[in-house]
Amino acid sequence: MTKPLTRRKFIKRIAGTMFTLLGISSVGYVYAHRIEPSMLEINHLEMSHSLIPFGFNGKKIVQFSDTHLGFQYNLHQLNELVSTINDFAPDIILFTGDLMDEPNKFMQINQLRSILQKLHAPLGKYCIYGNHDHGGYGSEIYRDIMESAGFTVLLNQSVPIHFDSSSKIYLTGIDDRMLGRPDLPLALKNVPSNTFSILLSHAPDVADDASQYPVQWQLSGHSHGGQVKIPFLGALVIPPFARIYQEGLYKIGNNKPLMLYVNRGLGTTRLPFRFMAKPELTVFTLRSF
């Protein structure tokens, strides 16, 4: 049985239709289709916690997400992004899913692999699955590309990152919530207590569950920040598992809270527009205290 449209959903649908139809011959169309999707915004945040070892103080993590190559984002843009990331001299690089829009239809895999190989981070490059990485029979295609480019694919598992013999943090990655089989207890099984831990989950809304575990920070993507946002109405389309936390920084819980950051991603999907949701690269600086 089809659920009746609420007034808010009806207005959003009409607004979305008007934005698309009226924008075809307007400045708005050009801006949302060609200008804003290329307006990379670089956000700098401090990732601070008492459990971060002093050896990691000042270390830099760069997160990028949701390139959706093959839809609107292209390899030329990715190559420029790689240069930008390397200019920050990150210690750790994290990719939080959705590399290609349709993996089994992407025909430039060798060039993609070569570009990703140029990313440099002395403490490692890590990634997780997004829903599009599994879609289109893409699971093994994605894993092959990322591993051959020097990334560690985290699939319901944790790895220690060592700065020296006495300083380490843990990085945990879980499978995608939509098309994968995430298992947070399994992923955290080998993480010692009282150790700083970062969780990578493509789907941000997993944070409500993650806040019940000894995880201090979660980094996600998936939402595209709404991709197209209408003033006073908000995002037109928000994907499942990104409906609570859509972009930016959140503090979840009171006692030993989880900090969640939702990256808006770089590419587009479904519609080749961005409006009031610029593509994003995030640079975190670790701070111990």
Side-chain angles (χ1 to χ4, degrees), residues 71-87:
F71 185 75
Q72 186 181 33
Y73 201 76
N74 58 48
L75 290 181
H76 175 72
Q77 290 171 291
L78 181 65
N79 196 50
E80 290 186 338
L81 178 77
V82 165
S83 296
T84 299
I85 292 174
N86 284 336
D87 285 344

Side-chain angles (χ1 to χ4, degrees), residues 3-277:
K3 293 182 179 180
L5 279 178
T6 65
R7 182 174 181 273
R8 181 179 176 82
K9 287 182 179 178
F10 176 76
I11 292 172
K12 288 178 109 175
R13 183 170 294 182
I14 293 298
T17 303
M18 290 175 62
F19 177 84
T20 303
L21 295 178
L22 297 178
I24 288 174
S25 58
S26 71
V27 173
Y29 174 89
V30 175
Y31 175 81
H33 180 57
R34 297 190 178 180
I35 298 177
E36 186 165 307
S38 63
M39 295 175 65
L40 179 64
E41 182 171 284
I42 299 172
N43 287 322
H44 296 261
L45 290 90
E46 288 199 346
M47 182 180 288
S48 60
H49 199 276
S50 61
L51 289 177
I52 295 176
F54 284 104
F56 278 86
N57 191 53
K59 298 298 180 188
K60 279 191 283 190
I61 297 174
V62 170
Q63 177 197 10
F64 70 111
S65 193
D66 295 88
T67 47
H68 287 270
L69 285 156
F71 185 75
Q72 186 181 33
Y73 201 76
N74 58 48
L75 290 181
H76 175 72
Q77 290 171 291
L78 181 65
N79 196 50
E80 290 186 338
L81 178 77
V82 165
S83 296
T84 299
I85 292 174
N86 284 336
D87 285 344
F88 286 109
D91 299 284
I92 300 168
I93 294 174
L94 305 175
F95 178 69
T96 43
D98 282 1
L99 180 66
M100 298 163 286
D101 202 60
E102 296 181 274
N104 63 336
K105 296 182 180 179
F106 191 76
M107 298 291 104
Q108 298 171 288
I109 286 177
N110 289 334
Q111 298 97 309
L112 170 56
R113 183 184 290 113
S114 297
I115 292 170
L116 292 174
Q117 285 172 344
K118 293 189 291 186
L119 285 168
H120 178 68
L123 298 183
K125 305 187 294 187
Y126 302 88
C127 65
I128 55 171
Y129 280 94
N131 52 300
H132 281 259
D133 303 316
H134 282 308
Y137 304 98
S139 303
E140 292 307 314
I141 298 172
Y142 174 73
R143 177 181 283 275
D144 176 70
I145 291 170
M146 299 308 280
E147 289 184 342
S148 64
F151 280 78
T152 298
V153 180
L154 296 175
L155 184 61
N156 296 326
Q157 65 191 102
S158 299
V159 293
I161 299 177
H162 294 269
F163 172 67
D164 54 38
S165 59
S166 61
S167 298
K168 67 179 177 182
I169 62 176
Y170 273 78
L171 188 63
T172 299
I174 59 172
D175 203 358
D176 174 63
R177 182 64 180 82
M178 284 182 66
L179 299 182
R181 296 181 178 178
D183 191 330
L184 190 53
L186 174 64
L188 292 168
K189 183 175 67 173
N190 297 319
V191 178
S193 59
N194 297 318
T195 303
F196 185 72
S197 177
I198 301 170
L199 171 66
L200 305 183
S201 169
H202 184 65
D205 290 355
V206 167
D208 284 338
D209 291 332
S211 66
Q212 307 303 310
Y213 293 86
V215 173
Q216 288 74 46
W217 275 74
Q218 176 181 318
L219 304 183
S220 297
H222 185 49
S223 71
H224 296 212
Q227 194 166 295
V228 174
K229 292 189 289 190
I230 303 300
F232 308 111
L233 291 176
L236 290 181
V237 179
I238 293 292
F241 309 110
R243 291 175 176 161
I244 303 172
Y245 307 110
Q246 298 178 8
E247 67 172 301
L249 186 64
Y250 300 87
K251 181 179 180 181
I252 302 169
N254 297 313
N255 184 29
K256 297 183 178 180
L258 169 72
M259 301 302 297
L260 165 68
Y261 192 81
V262 184
N263 180 290
R264 292 191 300 271
L266 295 154
T268 59
T269 189
R270 298 170 70 177
L271 292 172
F273 304 113
R274 275 187 180 266
F275 187 73
M276 297 180 67

